[in-house]
Amino acid sequence: MLDECMEGLAIRPEGTYVDVTFGGGGHSRAILSHLNKYGKLLAFDQDADARQNAIDDKRFVFIDQNFRYLKNFCRLHHAIPVDGILADLGVSSYQFDEAERGFSIRFDAELDMRMNRQSPLTAKEVVNCYPEAELHRIFGIYGEIQNAKSLASTIATARLHQPIITVADLKNVIAARIPKGKENKYLAQVFQALRIEVNQELEALKQFLVQSAEVLESGGRLVVMSYHSLEDRLVKNYIGKGKFSGEVEKDLYGNDNKPFDAVSRGAITASEEEIKINNRARSAKLRIAVKK
Ligand SMILES: C[S@@+](CC[C@H](N)C(=O)[O-])C[C@H]1O[C@@H](n2cnc3c(N)ncnc32)[C@H](O)[C@@H]1O
């Protein structure tokens, strides 16, 4: 949905833009191609490996930080107010394909799953040290796993005998909990839950959304692509209501007290053609908002 993202940003050629999920740099390159020599692009990625893809261009700055610090780093780079912000959430194909990062159910590796390898919390720590009730919550809420309680209890019992160190260890330990014929889907949900916890993805997204309203110029655009319902719900609620739960608040004059207006009604999804080429697009939801 590259074209839809670019349309959503409605790029002013001399404007200042932020790509908060640089990854392989595909979206950043597209943004740069719409900017003139006065334009500027800041790109965040909490994975320092993404710096390898940094673009050699005077208008471009790479920031190896979590986007939960959006406002501080935009300030540091004298970039506030900005004209548009793009987020393409989740893990990059590079991260999935690097076996040792432990993101993929396809490879064996230590249970890691950190996007930022300096951060102290790994999937191994979550699986071996979190209380059973916490594991139950994570698998139930982040993974939407039906038998989250028995899954958590299975892990809590197994680790009494031996620590669960690798992807293969985890698969062996939980094998009896996996519904027959649904192995891949179930494991993907388990991995998604652990990844969200390890990277504190929902907390970072909330902080980012609040700060995006603080750094955007009035009329500036926020474009967010998310890949699971928990993320999309946060984005949808913040754009629609200015908060993550509950109803929109009104000011003294009865106007909605919220920083954004939605540009598109509902979420934009990928076309059948795009899904054929890129399976990840199947679950993508794109939301576009304008700063009031
Ligand atoms: C789906 S990829 C982005 C791909 C990119 N749009 C492209 O064109 O190549 C998501 C990237 O965002 C990064 N990321 C995810 N959450 C982040 C966060 N909270 N702060 C900074 N970077 C984050 C990941 O490390 C990953 O490289």
Side-chain angles (χ1 to χ4, degrees):
M1 285 195 278
L2 185 65
D3 292 343
E4 288 84 348
C5 288
M6 292 305 117
E7 256 173 55
L9 283 172
I11 294 177
R12 294 195 311 115
E14 69 290 1
T16 298
Y17 289 84
V18 190
D19 174 357
V20 295
T21 50
F22 179 66
H27 284 89
S28 277
R29 285 177 194 279
I31 294 172
L32 280 173
S33 74
H34 287 81
L35 295 178
N36 66 21
K37 64 177 179 181
Y38 303 109
K40 187 168 174 180
L41 173 63
L42 272 56
F44 284 69
D45 202 302
Q46 63 172 323
D47 185 347
D49 284 5
R51 187 182 284 283
Q52 294 163 11
N53 309 319
I55 304 167
D56 184 15
D57 186 308
K58 281 201 198 86
R59 303 167 297 172
F60 176 83
V61 182
F62 179 77
I63 302 168
D64 59 354
Q65 293 290 335
N66 195 304
F67 58 53
R68 72 197 309 170
Y69 307 122
L70 173 74
K71 191 175 171 184
N72 273 350
F73 283 91
C74 284
R75 193 188 290 126
L76 191 71
H77 289 273
H78 308 289
I80 298 177
V82 307
D83 297 289
I85 302 176
L86 171 77
D88 174 17
L89 300 173
V91 178
S92 71
S93 45
Y94 163 81
Q95 289 164 331
F96 264 121
D97 292 342
E98 278 280 285
E100 59 162 37
R101 305 291 297 262
F103 283 111
S104 172
I105 59 174
R106 290 174 292 145
F107 309 116
D108 191 18
E110 267 208 20
L111 287 165
D112 188 324
M113 302 193 196
R114 289 170 301 170
M115 293 188 206
N116 170 4
R117 287 199 258 190
Q118 307 299 317
S119 126
L121 185 62
T122 64
K124 189 170 72 180
E125 175 89 10
V126 172
V127 166
N128 288 286
C129 304
Y130 269 33
E132 183 178 330
E134 269 296 280
L135 289 177
H136 175 192
R137 183 185 68 82
I138 291 166
F139 290 133
I141 297 178
Y142 298 166
E144 294 167 301
I145 291 171
Q146 297 289 332
N147 63 358
K149 193 170 188 342
S150 56
L151 174 65
S153 146
T154 302
I155 291 174
T157 307
R159 70 190 186 189
L160 291 175
H161 306 293
Q162 213 174 4
I164 302 163
I165 307 290
T166 64
V167 171
D169 291 347
L170 181 62
K171 282 184 182 170
N172 285 337
V173 161
I174 67 174
R177 296 285 150 261
I178 305 179
K180 289 279 164 297
K182 297 201 174 144
E183 286 79 5
N184 282 350
K185 179 164 185 258
Y186 188 89
L187 286 171
Q189 287 172 289
V190 171
F191 274 51
Q192 170 179 293
L194 291 172
R195 198 198 82 205
I196 292 175
E197 176 62 20
V198 165
N199 297 289
Q200 300 285 299
E201 292 181 28
L202 302 180
E203 290 73 13
L205 178 58
K206 284 185 186 172
Q207 291 178 13
F208 157 71
L209 288 168
V210 171
Q211 291 174 33
S212 67
E214 295 168 359
V215 302
L216 272 168
E217 178 76 284
S218 172
R221 294 293 185 97
L222 173 69
V223 174
V224 183
M225 234 189 314
S226 61
Y227 297 86
H228 61 80
S229 56
L230 292 172
E231 283 174 344
D232 182 55
R233 198 173 312 142
L234 293 179
V235 179
K236 178 183 167 189
N237 285 344
Y238 199 69
I239 291 174
K241 299 175 179 170
K243 52 209 279 209
F244 299 111
S245 59
E247 282 316 307
V248 63
E249 288 166 17
K250 303 275 184 191
D251 67 13
L252 285 176
Y253 307 100
N255 303 313
D256 285 355
N257 209 348
K258 63 189 190 93
F260 289 108
D261 280 326
V263 170
S264 50
R265 269 187 83 77
I268 299 166
T269 52
S271 64
E272 282 303 316
E273 292 81 65
E274 180 161 2
I275 292 170
K276 267 187 212 145
I277 306 166
N278 171 14
N279 193 40
R280 185 167 181 264
R282 183 177 297 281
S283 47
K285 292 236 166 78
L286 173 64
R287 293 192 185 266
I288 302 167
V290 59
K291 171 79 193 301
K292 295 215 279 192

